[in-house]
Amino acid sequence: MARDGHCPQFLVAVDGGATGTRVRVCDAGGRPLGEGRAGPSSLTLGVPAAWESVLAAMRAAFAAAGAGAPEEGAIRLAAGLAGALCAENRAAFREHSPLSGAELTIVTDGYASLIGAFAGAPGVAVAVGTGVTAYALHPGGEVVQASGWGFPVGDEGGGAWIGHRALQAYLKWRDGRRTAPSRLFETLPERLGASLGDIQAWLRKARSTEYAALAPLVVAAAADRDALAEEILREGAAEIAETIDAIDVSTAGLPIALLGGLAEVFGPRLPERHRARLVAPRGNALDGLVRLLLDRSMRSGGAS
């Protein structure tokens, strides 16, 4: 129940990362009514920017649902956000909430993906998009997490990491420190600019999203058997495999679900011991957040 003793009219699930934000509006029973999208809402990019994207996606979702702006206290919101591992980020996001009277639950986007991928059952969920987050739920209820530290210090195997690796190789090639050719050295200047000044200007402004935007160039080059691109993706797969091994220490091995925009890229490149345990995810982060909202509703109802 909501704080005033009445059930909320809407359940709102927010999946936010460095690339974009998705919102699903459901009725009080969890039935989907509409979805909306907007720009990035990773807390690493700043709380005001995150809320701006969340609100834009919410407006689109309520419009798709054929509903107007919700009344005060009419929603319960669960947000799975990149950067939510940091308690200060979570506190700031809650403190700056413009949704008066709304109940707000904040978890990481990776944890939301874990719950969605296995519908609350044990398993390993690795979300590979701009960054990488990996969570395991063990049969005893223990939740273990790895990666998700953020670019550039972590998130190895993610889109930003891939773009960064490609750019490093390109700059070495420009300097004459690398002589092996690559298709990437032809396509990267189209994004960065060809002159030294263009590249330096790009680097000054680039964040994780800009580096991740270079990853499709690597994927396309690897499809054409470009040696450098294949090497980068092979290294990324090894990083993801290492991350899985760090959180799944069970004897039999938990089922593994890959999620995110690069899931199909890395699935076939994982070691055989991991490929054998790959399963199709039962749902995504939004499904996981709705499940969390419903579980909270049932617990509240049982206690009232």
Side-chain angles (χ1 to χ4, degrees):
M1 290 186 179
R3 291 185 180 90
D4 61 3
H6 299 287
C7 290
Q9 184 179 359
F10 300 106
L11 303 180
V12 178
V14 179
D15 176 26
T19 301
T21 302
R22 298 180 302 160
V23 166
R24 179 183 298 167
V25 173
C26 300
D27 63 19
R31 182 174 67 90
L33 301 176
E35 293 193 10
R37 293 176 178 266
S41 57
S42 169
L43 297 182
T44 62
L45 302 177
V47 167
W51 268 117
E52 182 178 349
S53 294
V54 169
L55 293 176
M58 282 182 62
R59 287 192 293 269
F62 275 101
E71 298 178 357
E72 182 175 334
I75 70 172
R76 177 179 295 141
L77 184 146
L81 303 174
L85 273 176
C86 174
E88 291 182 359
N89 286 347
R90 296 195 302 273
F93 188 76
R94 187 182 300 278
E95 179 183 351
H96 289 86
S97 171
L99 303 175
S100 178
E103 293 189 42
L104 180 60
T105 299
I106 309 168
V107 298
T108 66
D109 53 344
Y111 181 70
S113 295
L114 171 68
I115 301 303
F118 297 99
V124 175
V126 185
V128 191
T130 297
V132 176
T133 57
Y135 279 79
L137 174 61
H138 290 271
E142 181 186 12
V143 176
V144 186
Q145 182 267 338
S147 198
W149 290 103
F151 176 82
V153 297
D155 288 22
E156 297 87 351
W161 179 89
I162 291 171
H164 186 263
R165 291 279 287 108
L167 184 52
Q168 282 183 317
Y170 171 61
L171 296 181
K172 285 186 176 183
W173 177 80
R174 277 184 60 100
D175 286 348
R177 293 179 288 156
R178 181 187 180 103
T179 58
S182 170
R183 173 184 169 181
L184 292 172
F185 304 156
E186 301 172 4
T187 57
L188 282 171
E190 297 174 4
R191 300 288 184 89
L192 307 172
S195 72
L196 179 62
D198 289 338
I199 296 171
Q200 289 178 332
W202 188 94
L203 291 171
R204 283 196 299 271
K205 299 176 182 178
R207 299 184 297 181
S208 61
T209 49
E210 284 74 31
Y211 280 98
L214 304 178
L217 301 180
V218 179
V219 174
D224 287 340
R225 300 193 179 280
D226 180 86
L228 172 61
E230 289 184 326
E231 176 188 351
I232 292 172
L233 296 184
R234 186 165 57 249
E235 291 178 0
E239 294 283 359
I240 292 170
E242 182 178 88
T243 299
I244 293 171
D245 290 340
I247 59 176
D248 180 16
V249 295
S250 56
T251 303
L254 294 168
I256 302 167
L258 294 183
L259 305 97
L262 291 169
E264 293 184 1
V265 171
F266 283 118
R269 290 179 167 86
L270 288 176
E272 194 281 331
R273 69 181 188 278
H274 297 100
R275 293 199 309 271
R277 292 187 280 137
L278 286 176
V279 298
R282 296 175 62 179
N284 58 25
L286 290 176
D287 298 311
L289 292 163
V290 172
R291 176 173 287 272
L292 290 176
L293 286 166
L294 289 172
D295 283 350
R296 182 173 179 180
S297 298
M298 288 186 288
R299 286 196 298 270
S300 298
S304 61

